[in-house]
Amino acid sequence: MTRGPNGTFTYSGSSLQIIKWLAEKFKFKLSVIPINQTLANKLGTHAAAFYQLQNDQDINGIVPSFFLSMDRVERFDFTSFIWAEGFRLVLPRPGEESRLFAFIRPFQPWVWLSIFVSVLVIVGAMKIFDWIYFRHDLNNFIDTSADTKHNPQDGDVKENSVPKRNFISTSNHVIYVINTLTNQGGREAFSRHSFRILAGFWVLCAMVLVNSYTGIVTSSLTTPKLKPSIESLEELAASTEIGIVVRSDTPIGAQILEATSGIYKVLGDQVRLHPDRIFVDPFKLNAKLETGQFAYAYMNTFTIAFVSSHYKKEGTCRFKVSKPLPILTGFYSLLHKKGTWYTKTIRRGLMDLWESGLVKFWVNNLPTLPKADACFVDSKRGVSRPVAIKLTDLTSAFLILGIGIGLAILVFMLELIYWKLLAMQKKLAIVEI
């Protein structure tokens, strides 16, 4: 119903097509009048329509369809259903998540813990190797020129105190390991094979970690990541940001308000705490929904119409619809004045019309339902969202690191044996001389 500049109204839509089809089939003249605005302001749109139907002798029925309730059945005659459909939620589209912690999200907590432990293990292994080398004075049997070149503190160990040398060498190991992880590079050059093997496998492991981290951080910073979307009544009940609004004269609204257990009771308790979320007038409910803080469960086509109409008005997809809810199909019928003699005839005509498929055709193809395809595109098909890397995804990296540590220890033991043999040979040579 569109108000013209001179006070007239233009009526269009699928409900008008239904009445026209009935008028042509049963040869009656159609006359449509708007609801009295004074009554609508006082009682609400639906209550005003019901009042006029009961008290105005010139009005025989109401064009829009309604859900059957005991109160309405007692007051009016209902036809066969004119529309039947499942339910969805219409709710605000979730916003983007904060990127403040984008550099932490790529890895799950267990991955970060494993990396931290790995750093400690590598630094500890390097320090143990270093300590044993100098404790047993093994440098006497190997070429340490490379070590003293890159680690001067090893060459002048006699001039430095032991605690100072330990602190400097440990700091060098830590800086090397961290530089490798942060992709900054660094040198930890030793002539000892155990050090080289340990450092080599750490670099290989770090390469996997760094590339995995860099890839998903780039995706996190360049791809918008939306907050989790509400897709069920359970998720809506658990939400702290989005509340539910209901219409007490709809099947799902009545079910929520009358429930004594389950998720409907949870939602009903939430609504009863805020009576301003219970409506009968659909226009007042729409105004509440437009604030972007509430969700509403209604029949699928009506939720689509709400989203589309706001897209047409605002040019942005501010609202969305959820997946189908596990709720019984809703049936809506026309209602007439109580005792109207032709209700039976209209009922038969509406059944023929429904079986013809024209009602669905009119609803889906008339221009009164705006098109907003952009608001119903599956975002998962358009852009893949970055997902946090799990520990199982990087098992190979830590496996490589474990093999490297084991191999480094093995070579280290062989070096110890080799150096011990050299020491024994040197002692024997001195004795013989």
Side-chain angles (χ1 to χ4, degrees), residues 211-255:
N211 287 337
S212 301
Y213 177 85
T214 303
I216 201 162
V217 163
T218 302
S219 299
S220 299
L221 296 177
T222 57
T223 303
K225 184 178 181 181
L226 301 179
K227 296 179 180 178
S229 178
I230 296 174
E231 298 292 348
S232 66
L233 295 177
E234 288 77 10
E235 293 176 354
L236 176 59
S239 174
T240 58
E241 298 181 358
I242 305 298
I244 187 173
V245 291
V246 300
R247 271 179 56 186
S248 57
D249 60 338
T250 61
I252 180 62
Q255 192 172 3

Side-chain angles (χ1 to χ4, degrees), residues 17-296:
Q17 296 297 116
I18 292 170
I19 299 302
K20 283 184 175 181
W21 187 91
L22 292 173
E24 184 175 349
K25 180 178 179 63
F26 298 114
K27 310 301 181 185
F28 65 81
K29 184 180 179 181
L30 172 67
S31 178
V32 181
I33 63 171
I35 298 173
N36 184 285
Q37 191 60 44
T38 303
L39 285 175
N41 294 336
K42 180 180 179 181
L43 304 176
T45 306
H46 284 180
F50 297 155
Y51 180 88
Q52 286 186 253
L53 179 58
Q54 283 186 299
N55 297 280
D56 193 329
Q57 297 300 318
D58 295 330
I59 298 177
N60 302 106
I62 303 178
V63 175
S65 54
F66 289 88
F67 160 65
L68 278 70
S69 65
M70 291 302 299
D71 174 67
R72 291 173 183 171
V73 170
E74 292 174 357
R75 298 164 61 190
F76 310 107
D77 284 344
F78 274 82
T79 66
S80 60
F81 70 88
I82 196 173
W83 189 256
E85 199 172 29
F87 290 81
R88 292 176 184 256
L89 287 170
V90 57
L91 64 162
R93 185 172 293 276
E96 291 186 20
E97 288 188 352
S98 171
R99 300 185 184 184
L100 180 61
F101 300 101
F103 292 96
I104 297 177
R105 290 198 186 105
F107 290 157
Q108 290 186 338
W110 280 108
V111 176
W112 287 116
L113 178 61
S114 300
I115 293 175
F116 179 73
V117 172
S118 299
V119 169
L120 295 181
V121 170
I122 292 297
V123 173
M126 289 181 171
K127 184 57 189 173
I128 290 174
F129 289 178
D130 185 41
W131 178 75
I132 294 177
Y133 288 141
F134 287 94
R135 178 179 177 83
H136 294 277
D137 198 24
L138 298 180
N139 286 346
N140 293 332
F141 308 102
I142 57 175
D143 179 14
T144 60
S145 58
D147 299 343
T148 56
K149 179 179 179 181
H150 300 292
N151 297 276
Q153 72 278 8
D154 294 348
D156 56 359
V157 62
K158 295 180 180 179
E159 299 178 6
N160 295 323
S161 63
V162 173
K164 183 177 181 180
R165 195 203 69 80
N166 288 336
F167 175 78
I168 295 176
S169 62
T170 303
S171 300
N172 286 342
H173 301 327
V174 171
I175 292 173
Y176 169 74
V177 171
I178 294 178
N179 281 350
T180 305
L181 269 182
T182 55
N183 220 12
Q184 300 300 312
R187 304 187 68 175
E188 183 74 299
F190 294 90
S191 59
R192 302 145 193 163
H193 296 298
S194 54
F195 261 96
R196 291 177 174 177
I197 291 176
L198 183 62
F201 274 91
W202 169 246
V203 170
L204 185 60
C205 174
M207 179 188 68
V208 177
L209 296 174
V210 170
N211 287 337
S212 301
Y213 177 85
T214 303
I216 201 162
V217 163
T218 302
S219 299
S220 299
L221 296 177
T222 57
T223 303
K225 184 178 181 181
L226 301 179
K227 296 179 180 178
S229 178
I230 296 174
E231 298 292 348
S232 66
L233 295 177
E234 288 77 10
E235 293 176 354
L236 176 59
S239 174
T240 58
E241 298 181 358
I242 305 298
I244 187 173
V245 291
V246 300
R247 271 179 56 186
S248 57
D249 60 338
T250 61
I252 180 62
Q255 192 172 3
I256 289 174
L257 294 174
E258 297 171 5
T260 57
S261 62
I263 187 62
Y264 293 130
K265 182 180 183 303
V266 174
L267 292 172
D269 292 341
Q270 292 180 1
V271 171
R272 280 184 284 272
L273 289 175
H274 305 277
D276 60 328
R277 298 183 186 180
I278 303 175
F279 297 90
V280 174
D281 191 324
F283 296 101
K284 293 181 179 179
L285 183 141
N286 283 357
K288 193 77 169 180
L289 276 178
E290 289 174 356
T291 62
Q293 300 175 0
F294 301 95
Y296 176 55

Side-chain angles (χ1 to χ4, degrees), residues 205-418:
C205 174
M207 179 188 68
V208 177
L209 296 174
V210 170
N211 287 337
S212 301
Y213 177 85
T214 303
I216 201 162
V217 163
T218 302
S219 299
S220 299
L221 296 177
T222 57
T223 303
K225 184 178 181 181
L226 301 179
K227 296 179 180 178
S229 178
I230 296 174
E231 298 292 348
S232 66
L233 295 177
E234 288 77 10
E235 293 176 354
L236 176 59
S239 174
T240 58
E241 298 181 358
I242 305 298
I244 187 173
V245 291
V246 300
R247 271 179 56 186
S248 57
D249 60 338
T250 61
I252 180 62
Q255 192 172 3
I256 289 174
L257 294 174
E258 297 171 5
T260 57
S261 62
I263 187 62
Y264 293 130
K265 182 180 183 303
V266 174
L267 292 172
D269 292 341
Q270 292 180 1
V271 171
R272 280 184 284 272
L273 289 175
H274 305 277
D276 60 328
R277 298 183 186 180
I278 303 175
F279 297 90
V280 174
D281 191 324
F283 296 101
K284 293 181 179 179
L285 183 141
N286 283 357
K288 193 77 169 180
L289 276 178
E290 289 174 356
T291 62
Q293 300 175 0
F294 301 95
Y296 176 55
Y298 204 38
M299 299 175 76
N300 178 51
T301 299
F302 291 98
T303 59
I304 293 176
F306 181 86
V307 173
S308 301
S309 63
H310 280 81
Y311 176 77
K312 181 180 180 180
K313 180 172 62 176
E314 301 175 1
T316 59
C317 298
R318 198 157 64 92
F319 297 92
K320 67 179 290 292
V321 297
S322 71
K323 297 178 181 178
L325 300 176
I327 301 174
L328 294 177
T329 302
F331 294 91
Y332 281 70
S333 308
L334 296 181
L335 51 81
H336 297 148
K337 194 183 295 293
K338 192 70 175 179
T340 302
W341 60 269
Y342 54 78
T343 300
K344 184 177 181 180
T345 303
I346 298 295
R347 181 185 296 120
R348 180 65 259 174
L350 288 175
M351 185 59 67
D352 294 340
L353 181 59
W354 177 261
E355 292 174 350
S356 71
L358 283 174
V359 178
K360 283 186 174 292
F361 175 80
W362 288 331
V363 169
N364 294 330
N365 293 278
L366 285 177
T368 48
L369 185 63
K371 301 298 181 182
D373 296 336
C375 299
F376 303 100
V377 174
D378 188 355
S379 58
K380 294 182 179 179
R381 296 181 181 179
V383 180
S384 58
R385 292 175 55 187
V387 179
I389 295 179
K390 302 177 182 178
L391 181 59
T392 53
D393 298 329
L394 294 175
T395 301
S396 58
F398 291 108
L399 178 61
I400 292 172
L401 183 60
I403 294 174
I405 293 174
L407 187 57
I409 293 174
L410 176 61
V411 173
F412 177 69
M413 297 301 296
L414 293 176
E415 286 179 337
L416 286 179
I417 295 173
Y418 175 71

